[in-house]
């Protein structure tokens, strides 16, 4: 583990497989020589690199990153036109075991709004990595790169090191707490996110922005006893550590001195508002509003509260105007697709000007502070006068003074997924021209399948798990999603076997920082974190109320104790090293804390335990009986996965999460057993339940069985039907839908085809439970949102599913279903991980303000998005819609409500 980085995974670096063909080209050698010449010169000029297709461009970046890491111990900055470009490149770097970080653009907060800080945490982690040279490539869009941020000096001053021994071990809880508050960390009862910390007795938990997991410091008095990285969900230690490196949690760090300066600036702004006369541009109402807003900000500053509008005064808080480019002063900066970058930056600059005009028109800030990013001209000047390169598709350097133009000859190759004939044909041509070929497969199984295909057709191939190319034959790798390309001068071709080469989502990046696998029960019960007032159960003494932690000195030894209140005046002080004897009470009356407390030393608890043991035995007998009956039922053992199943799964448009892969494995394993499956698949909306279900359906069809997908609404039926048609296009699967969207004649034809076995998958509402529906060879029933079906439908469903496999999908399982799953009567899989690369949700909490609403609406519409405006009363919904239309005249507005 890196001295200053917790949890960084040491991986086999495989970048050489892709960078070597670039490094072998004469164009790259000439470029590199000129680059170093420019770096040494006092007045460097940019270089232009052209002719690189998408995959070759990423390989070029890998080659440059490896070169700079070896020579200087650091990487470079790449300014890309879109966030999706940054994601694609960072995914490949991460798959190769290299450190790629994305520096995001964030919305500056100019008003007193409570907001979330995920983007700030990401930005701080990147800045810290740059300062410590702990990166191979930093990726940023131009608007992110020019936004002002904290200077290097401020970042260095607010960083801290804590160690078990030596000069950095002199920390007390009070000193650490003061530091964390000053560094922008938020104190909570229990750490549940980045930028938070908690203090419980002698334990301090912290989650710094640059670490994948939180860290825990155990104090014994004023001395650090031990430190560790721990799992947020289970609260269990992952590994012991002897050093923690802390960065600030906020970009805007306001010291006591700067708070005083800010108070003076706000007072001056109030005086300026007071002396400004009312005019057509500054009405009496506007003046009152402006004065109230600034006065509230001044009160916030003087009261010592958190300053949420600090972004507005970043130029007062920091003496230097610094952006990401300043952190790379002297380092190499690459600008990808210069024209697209310039266009985005010009648009961003225009919007910045509009925001500043609005702030000044509202008298919200003095003009001397109203600047929040580099201008387009400043950005261009910085790039043109630093060690930089333009990476463009075409060699166009008109109007630029360049030190050299380097034109590569590359060609993009198509995806060969599902096209074995094309692959064999092209490999024959590559072999004739003695071209070195690298094939990128999605998984080890897909790589082996490809190798078998080539061998069967007389083409020797090898699966390469190293970092050097094995010459003379096609090399097959897996797990690195790279767009296909050819470099003609190096006589090299990379052929992608991915259905979606270089897609934005990837499972591998999520796997690196994932905690260890937990049991289903453990995951569901992870909510049982204690708060004061909660009911707890002690193994010996029974039900009590958790009061809190006390530090007591007994026999000269100071320790932390858990304080538990029992009936009457009885209290138990439990040493913290005996916490395994206590668990949270989750029985009847636990939610409202109305359960009866036990009496210490009484017999009630012993009787209750005896009674519970008896009930548990009875339940165990019932479970054994249910399992025995279930295993006696005649079922169908579906066939193991074949090549078509693997091909279908690898054609999925996105990278699966680990939860999806695990759930699919569990479900398919159940289907291959000789007794009927009864499995519950739980997962939030958008977590990928449908894809898992479709893999099970495809497996059933491949075994010659029919599938029925039962849904509660016609709209959902149509959505699932369209998904099935899209997902299974090109495969011998026939699907249809039965709902009120079909007329009587169409329904009769569908029923006839189902009876004859001509339909493999039938999607439908409760209509599929009707008596006239007969399946020729039903093997799998998939039920979506079981809780939305009535008693009558569930009874019919029981008759339908007596001897067939059943898969139930739900985001909100009903208590009885959940209880059955928890008890083991039904098997359960859980999808608890969102798809990779989802942008964090930014949350703002504030009083209603027309200006802020208008600004938010216009910003979302400018980026081509949509807005959902939730109103709480049907009676005034049209009035609200009219007000929104007035705030944003260019918007097309419709209203909807549920009043009958």
């Amino acid at each position: 583990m890196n001295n200053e980085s917790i949890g960084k995974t040491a991986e086999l670096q495989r970048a050489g497989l892709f960078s070597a063909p670039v490094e072998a080209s004469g164009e790259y050698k000439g470029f590199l020589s000129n680059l170093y010449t420019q770096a040494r010169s006092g007045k460097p000029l940019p270089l232009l690199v052209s002719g690189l297709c998408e995959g070759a461009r990423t390989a070029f970046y890998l080659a440059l990153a490896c070169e700079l890491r070896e020579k200087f111990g650091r990487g470079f900055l790449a300014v890309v036109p879109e966030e999706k470009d940054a994601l694609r490149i960072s995914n490949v770097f991460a798959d190769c075991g290299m450190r790629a970080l994305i520096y995001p653009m964030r919305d500056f907060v100019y008003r007193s709004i409570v907001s979330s800080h995920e983007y700030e945490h990401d930005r701080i982690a990147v800045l810290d990595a740059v300062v410590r040279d702990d990166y191979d490539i930093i990726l940023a869009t131009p608007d992110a790169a020019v936004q002002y941020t904290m200077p290097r000096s401020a970042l260095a001053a607010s960083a801290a090191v804590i160690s078990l021994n030596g000069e950095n071990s002199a920390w007390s809880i009070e000193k650490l707490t003061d530091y964390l508050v000053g560094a922008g960390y938020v104190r909570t009862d229990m750490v549940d996110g980045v930028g938070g910390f908690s203090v419980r007795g002698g334990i301090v938990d912290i989650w710094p922005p640059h670490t994948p997991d939180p860290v825990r410091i155990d104090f014994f008095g004023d001395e650090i006893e031990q430190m560790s990285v721990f799992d947020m969900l289970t609260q269990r230690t992952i590994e012991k550590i002897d050093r923690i490196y802390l960065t600030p949690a906020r970009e805007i760090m306001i010291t006591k001195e700067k708070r005083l300066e800010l108070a003076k600036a706000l007072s001056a702004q109030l005086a300026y508002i007071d002396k400004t006369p009312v005019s057509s541009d500054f009405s009496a109402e506007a003046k009152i509003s402006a004065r109230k807003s600034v006065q509230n900000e001044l009160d916030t500053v003087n009261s010592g509260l958190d300053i949420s509008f600090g972004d507005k005064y970043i130029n007062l808080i920091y003496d230097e105007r610094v952006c990401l480019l300043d952190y790379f002063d002297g380092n190499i900066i690459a600008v990808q697709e210069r024209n697209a970058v310039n266009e985005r930056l010009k648009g961003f600059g225009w919007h910045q000007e509009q925001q500043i005009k609005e702030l000044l028109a509202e008298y919200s800030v003095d003009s001397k502070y109203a600047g929040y990013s580099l201008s387009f001209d400043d950005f261009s000047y910085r790039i043109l006068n630093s060690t930089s390169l333009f990476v463009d598709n075409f060699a166009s350097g008109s109007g630029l003074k360049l030190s050299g133009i380097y034109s590569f000859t590359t060609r993009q190759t198509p995806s060969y997924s599902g096209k074995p004939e094309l692959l064999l044909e092209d490999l024959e041509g590559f072999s004739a021209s003695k071209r070195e070929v690298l094939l990128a497969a999605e998984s080890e199984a897909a790589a082996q399948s490809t190798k078998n295909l080539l061998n069967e057709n007389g083409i020797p191939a090898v699966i390469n798990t190293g970092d050097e190319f094995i010459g003379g034959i096609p090399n097959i790798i897996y797990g690195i999603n790279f767009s296909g390309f050819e470099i003609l001068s190096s006589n090299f071709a990379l052929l992608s076997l991915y259905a979606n080469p270089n897609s934005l989502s990837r499972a591998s990046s999520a796997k690196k920082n994932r905690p260890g696998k937990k049991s289903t029960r453990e995951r569901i019960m992870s909510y049982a974190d204690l708060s004061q007032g909660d009911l707890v159960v002690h193994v010996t003494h029974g039900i009590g109320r958790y009061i809190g932690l006390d530090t007591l000195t007994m026999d000269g030894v100071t320790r932390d104790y858990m304080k538990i209140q029992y009936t009457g005046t009885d209290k138990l002080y439990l040493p913290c090293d005996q916490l395994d004897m206590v668990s949270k009470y989750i029985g009847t009356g636990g939610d409202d804390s109305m359960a009866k407390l036990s009496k210490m030393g009484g017999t009630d608890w012993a009787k209750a335990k005896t009674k519970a043991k008896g009930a548990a035995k009875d339940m165990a007998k019932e479970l054994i009986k249910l399992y025995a009956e279930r295993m006696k039922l005649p079922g169908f053992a579906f066939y193991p996965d074949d090549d078509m199943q693997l091909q279908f799964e690898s054609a999925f448009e996105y990278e699966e999460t680990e939860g999806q892969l695990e759930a699919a494995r569990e479900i398919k394993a159940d289907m291959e057993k000789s007794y009927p499956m009864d499995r519950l698949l739980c997962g939030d909306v958008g977590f990928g339940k449908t894809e898992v279900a479709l893999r099970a359906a495809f497996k059933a069809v491949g075994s010659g069985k029919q599938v029925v997908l039962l849904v509660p609404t016609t709209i959902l039926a149509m959505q699932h039907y369209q998904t099935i048609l899209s997902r299974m296009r090109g495969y011998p699967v026939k699907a249809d839908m039965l709902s009120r969207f079909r007329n009587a004649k169409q329904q009769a034809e569908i029923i006839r085809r189902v009876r004859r076995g001509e339909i493999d998958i039938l999607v439908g509402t409760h209509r599929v439970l009707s008596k006239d529906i007969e399946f020729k060879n039903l093997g799998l029933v998939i039920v979506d949102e079981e809780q939305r079906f009535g008693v009558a439908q569930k009874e019919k469903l029981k008759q339908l599913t007596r001897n067939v496999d059943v898969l139930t999908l739900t985001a909100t399982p009903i208590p009885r279903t959940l209880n059955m799953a928890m008890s083991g009567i039904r098997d359960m899989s859980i999808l608890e991980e969102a798809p990779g690369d989802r942008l964090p949700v930014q949350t703002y909490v504030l009083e209603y303000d027309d200006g802020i609403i208008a600004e938010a609406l216009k910003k979302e519409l400018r980026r081509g998005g949509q807005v959902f405006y939730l109103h709480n009363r049907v009676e005034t919904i049209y009035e609200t819609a009219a007000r929104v239309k007035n705030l944003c005249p260019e918007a097309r507005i419709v209203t909807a409500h549920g009043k009958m």
Side-chain angles (χ1 to χ4, degrees):
M1 187 168 61
N2 185 300
N3 283 341
E4 297 180 339
S5 177
I6 297 171
K8 183 177 177 183
T9 307
E11 293 184 317
L12 176 65
Q13 294 211 4
R14 310 191 67 194
L17 289 169
F18 310 99
S19 62
V22 176
E23 294 164 356
S25 66
E27 295 92 339
Y28 181 76
K29 292 174 182 176
F31 154 79
L32 210 56
S33 175
N34 194 350
L35 182 72
Y36 288 146
T37 300
Q38 294 302 312
R40 289 191 294 268
S41 70
K43 295 182 178 180
L45 292 174
L47 295 82
L48 174 62
V49 176
S50 66
L52 295 171
C53 61
E54 184 178 297
R57 186 169 56 215
T58 306
F60 173 82
Y61 286 155
L62 282 169
L64 181 58
C66 291
E67 172 73 19
L68 295 176
R69 169 59 62 186
E70 183 178 340
K71 285 283 197 309
F72 305 108
R74 62 172 180 262
F76 66 101
L77 167 66
V79 181
V80 296
E82 301 287 345
E83 285 85 357
K84 62 184 180 182
D85 299 310
L87 284 170
R88 288 193 183 102
I89 297 166
S90 69
N91 287 347
V92 173
F93 267 72
D95 283 338
C96 291
M98 300 186 71
R99 188 156 170 79
L101 298 172
I102 298 176
Y103 185 78
M105 194 275 286
R106 73 177 180 90
D107 293 326
F108 276 22
V109 177
Y110 303 121
R111 294 174 172 85
S112 294
I113 301 174
V114 178
S115 60
S116 47
H117 305 288
E118 289 89 351
Y119 286 129
E120 278 187 86
H121 300 151
D122 291 343
R123 287 158 65 99
I124 291 167
V126 171
L127 296 177
D128 176 68
V130 175
V131 169
R132 295 186 291 117
D133 291 330
D134 187 19
Y135 67 97
D136 293 305
I137 187 171
I138 302 296
L139 296 142
T141 55
D143 42 5
V146 299
Q147 280 185 309
Y148 291 153
T149 185
M150 64 191 318
R152 272 179 177 258
S153 56
L155 179 60
S158 52
V161 176
I162 304 174
S163 59
L164 280 176
N165 302 299
E167 61 178 342
N168 296 311
S169 62
W171 288 82
S172 64
I173 293 179
E174 291 73 22
K175 179 182 176 182
L176 180 57
T177 301
D178 289 343
Y179 162 77
L180 292 171
V181 171
Y185 288 80
V186 178
R187 184 166 183 168
T188 58
D189 292 334
M190 181 166 288
V191 171
D192 58 0
V194 174
F197 80 99
S198 68
V199 180
R200 293 174 292 164
I203 298 173
V204 180
D205 293 341
I206 315 166
W207 200 331
H210 63 286
T211 64
D213 293 293
V215 295
R216 174 168 293 160
I217 304 174
D218 289 288
F219 283 87
F220 186 77
D222 283 341
E223 293 185 1
I224 299 174
E225 192 171 30
Q226 68 176 21
M227 300 190 297
S228 59
V229 180
F230 71 95
D231 187 308
M232 182 189 72
L233 293 178
T234 65
Q235 297 290 302
R236 292 179 179 173
T237 296
I238 296 174
E239 63 173 322
K240 297 287 182 65
I241 55 177
D242 56 15
R243 192 171 187 269
I244 295 173
Y245 175 73
L246 297 176
T247 63
R250 298 285 295 276
E251 273 186 87
I252 309 299
M253 304 292 298
I254 305 176
T255 62
K256 292 179 180 178
E257 294 77 13
K258 289 298 180 181
R259 188 177 280 266
L260 292 174
E261 285 186 40
L262 182 53
K264 289 179 182 178
L266 289 168
S267 297
Q269 188 66 16
L270 274 177
Y272 180 65
I273 293 171
D274 289 339
K275 72 179 182 181
T276 302
V278 172
S279 65
S280 58
D281 294 328
F282 192 43
S283 66
E285 288 183 1
K287 185 170 184 175
I288 292 171
S289 176
R291 198 183 197 291
K292 179 182 178 184
S293 176
V294 176
Q295 183 64 57
N296 288 340
E297 292 177 354
L298 180 59
D299 292 342
T300 298
V301 172
N302 288 333
S303 63
L305 297 174
D306 180 57
I307 299 172
S308 58
F309 56 89
D311 290 334
K312 186 165 59 176
Y313 287 96
I314 188 171
N315 298 314
L316 179 151
I317 292 164
Y318 295 129
D319 298 327
E320 306 170 69
R321 296 194 175 191
V322 172
C323 66
L324 178 65
L325 298 180
D326 293 288
Y327 278 74
F328 284 86
D329 188 23
N331 292 12
I332 292 167
I333 301 172
V335 178
Q336 177 179 310
E337 298 176 33
R338 175 171 45 92
N339 290 335
V341 164
N342 288 347
E343 286 303 312
R344 175 157 179 163
L345 195 54
K346 287 176 182 177
F348 174 73
W350 184 86
H351 293 311
Q352 279 273 287
E353 287 178 14
Q354 297 305 307
Q355 283 187 317
I356 291 172
K357 285 179 181 177
E358 290 176 10
L359 291 173
L360 296 177
E362 296 169 0
Y363 290 77
S364 179
V365 66
D366 192 314
S367 59
K368 66 182 177 183
Y369 302 123
Y372 306 104
S373 64
L374 283 185
S375 67
F376 173 77
D377 291 338
D378 286 338
F379 172 81
S380 299
Y381 179 83
R382 291 277 192 96
I383 296 299
L384 293 172
N385 290 275
S386 62
T387 310
S388 60
L389 58 138
F390 297 115
V391 184
D392 288 350
N393 291 330
F394 305 103
S396 174
S398 59
L400 296 177
K401 193 172 183 181
L402 302 169
S403 64
I405 300 176
Y406 300 89
S407 299
F408 289 77
T409 306
T410 67
R411 186 165 57 205
Q412 189 160 333
T413 58
S415 168
Y416 291 86
S417 174
K419 304 168 187 172
E421 297 84 4
L422 179 61
L423 175 63
L424 293 171
E425 181 183 335
D426 285 358
L427 282 176
E428 186 177 343
F430 290 144
S431 176
S433 61
K434 300 188 183 306
R435 185 157 299 176
E436 300 283 17
V437 177
L438 184 65
L439 297 114
E442 188 165 358
S443 63
E444 185 176 1
Q448 188 61 52
S449 177
T450 302
K451 182 175 183 253
N452 294 340
L453 172 69
L454 300 187
N455 291 343
E456 289 167 5
N457 287 272
I459 303 174
V462 62
I463 296 178
N464 188 331
T465 56
D467 58 355
E468 292 185 4
F469 192 88
I470 301 170
I473 57 174
N475 283 219
I476 306 171
I477 61 168
Y478 57 87
I480 302 179
N481 192 352
F482 221 111
S483 287
F485 66 93
E486 294 180 63
I487 299 183
L488 303 185
S489 60
S490 301
N491 208 22
F492 171 85
L494 169 69
L495 309 182
S496 174
L497 302 176
Y498 280 75
N500 292 278
N502 216 353
S503 63
L504 297 185
S505 299
R506 59 191 293 276
S508 54
S509 63
K511 291 175 191 174
K512 292 175 187 174
N513 297 332
R514 184 175 297 112
K517 183 180 177 183
K518 308 173 188 66
S519 70
T520 299
R521 290 166 183 76
E522 185 178 36
R523 282 179 280 181
I524 289 178
M525 302 303 284
S526 65
Y527 74 89
D529 300 321
L530 285 178
S531 301
Q532 288 191 7
D534 287 346
L535 296 179
V536 296
V537 180
H538 188 279
V539 173
T540 306
H541 303 295
I543 302 171
R545 191 180 307 281
Y546 170 61
I547 303 300
L549 291 173
D550 277 1
T551 302
L552 303 177
T553 302
M554 301 179 67
D555 297 328
V557 178
T558 302
R559 301 173 70 182
D560 292 325
Y561 292 84
M562 174 186 275
K563 187 177 178 181
I564 304 174
Q565 174 74 53
Y566 287 91
T567 188
T569 58
D570 293 346
K571 289 185 180 68
L572 174 67
Y573 289 88
L574 182 72
C576 284
D577 57 4
Q578 297 179 24
L579 292 183
D580 57 335
M581 300 184 71
V582 174
S583 61
K584 187 174 181 179
Y585 177 76
I586 55 172
T588 305
D591 291 339
D592 52 13
S593 299
M594 294 301 290
K596 181 182 177 182
L597 301 184
S598 301
K599 180 176 176 61
M600 289 185 66
T603 59
D604 291 348
W605 177 243
K607 291 177 181 177
K609 284 200 296 183
T610 302
K611 184 177 178 181
K613 287 178 182 177
K617 287 181 180 178
D618 292 339
M619 185 177 180
K621 291 177 182 177
E622 186 66 22
L623 279 175
I624 292 171
K625 182 181 177 182
L626 283 168
Y627 267 109
E629 290 178 353
R630 178 175 158 191
M631 296 184 74
K632 285 178 183 177
L633 286 173
F636 178 80
F638 290 87
Y639 305 153
D641 289 356
D642 55 13
D643 287 343
M644 186 177 290
Q645 179 79 26
L646 294 175
Q647 184 180 347
F648 172 76
E649 294 181 2
S650 64
F652 184 44
E653 186 177 359
Y654 307 99
E655 288 284 351
E656 308 92 332
T657 65
E658 184 64 22
Q660 282 179 297
L661 294 172
E662 180 64 23
R665 282 193 291 266
E666 292 171 345
I667 290 166
K668 292 189 292 184
D670 282 358
M671 292 174 69
E672 292 174 13
K673 294 174 182 175
S674 59
Y675 56 86
M677 171 180 73
D678 187 9
R679 182 169 285 273
L680 179 68
L681 177 61
C682 293
D684 207 347
V685 176
F687 277 34
K689 298 189 296 294
T690 301
E691 172 60 23
V692 175
L694 291 186
R695 295 185 180 194
F698 192 87
K699 184 180 183 71
V701 173
S703 299
K705 291 288 185 177
Q706 290 175 295
V707 179
V708 60
L709 173 53
L710 181 63
V711 298
T713 66
T714 52
I715 296 295
L716 191 56
M718 177 60 76
Q719 289 175 342
H720 278 312
Y721 177 56
Q722 291 174 340
T723 300
I724 290 170
L725 292 180
S726 172
R727 188 71 177 83
M728 299 190 181
R729 185 179 293 116
Y731 295 96
V733 178
K734 296 176 182 177
D736 216 321
M737 179 185 68
L738 195 59
S739 72
R740 63 181 176 85
F741 286 162
R742 304 293 198 208
N743 59 38
K745 183 178 179 181
Q746 290 173 326
Q747 290 191 27
E749 174 61 17
I750 292 170
I751 292 170
R752 184 189 67 79
R753 294 176 61 210
V754 168
R755 188 181 298 118
R756 292 168 60 91
E758 296 174 3
I759 291 178
D760 299 309
I761 302 177
L762 179 64
V763 184
T765 58
H766 59 275
R767 175 70 177 85
V768 302
L769 300 175
S770 302
K771 291 180 180 179
D772 59 341
I773 306 294
E774 294 179 18
F775 292 89
K776 182 179 180 181
N777 194 12
L778 183 62
L780 174 65
V781 175
I782 302 172
V783 185
D784 196 4
E785 298 301 337
E786 175 195 31
Q787 76 278 6
R788 296 176 65 180
F789 290 98
V791 175
Q793 284 92 15
K794 288 180 180 177
E795 287 302 317
K796 292 179 181 178
L797 185 60
K798 284 181 183 178
Q799 298 172 15
L800 180 68
T801 60
R802 189 173 299 278
N803 295 318
V804 300
D805 286 25
V806 179
L807 176 62
T808 302
L809 316 179
T810 183
T812 53
I814 57 178
R816 181 175 178 273
T817 299
L818 186 60
N819 179 265
M820 291 171 69
M822 290 293 295
S823 302
I825 300 172
R826 300 182 71 175
D827 294 316
M828 178 164 57
S829 299
I830 293 181
L831 303 180
E832 58 178 351
E833 177 189 351
D837 296 324
R838 275 195 171 184
L839 295 176
V841 175
Q842 297 298 293
T843 305
Y844 303 92
V845 182
L846 64 151
E847 292 182 6
Y848 181 85
D849 186 302
D850 280 339
I852 297 175
I853 297 296
E855 183 182 321
L857 293 171
K858 291 173 182 176
K859 180 170 184 178
E860 184 62 21
L861 295 180
R862 281 197 299 263
R863 76 164 195 90
Q866 294 174 294
V867 176
F868 179 58
Y869 189 115
L870 186 62
H871 183 63
N872 62 340
R873 295 192 70 83
V874 174
E875 289 81 359
T876 55
I877 194 169
Y878 296 104
E879 178 186 329
T880 301
R883 186 167 67 248
V884 171
K885 182 67 175 177
N886 186 52
L887 293 173
C888 194
E890 65 269 31
R892 292 172 296 176
I893 299 174
V894 296
T895 57
H897 57 76
K899 188 173 182 180
M900 302 301 291

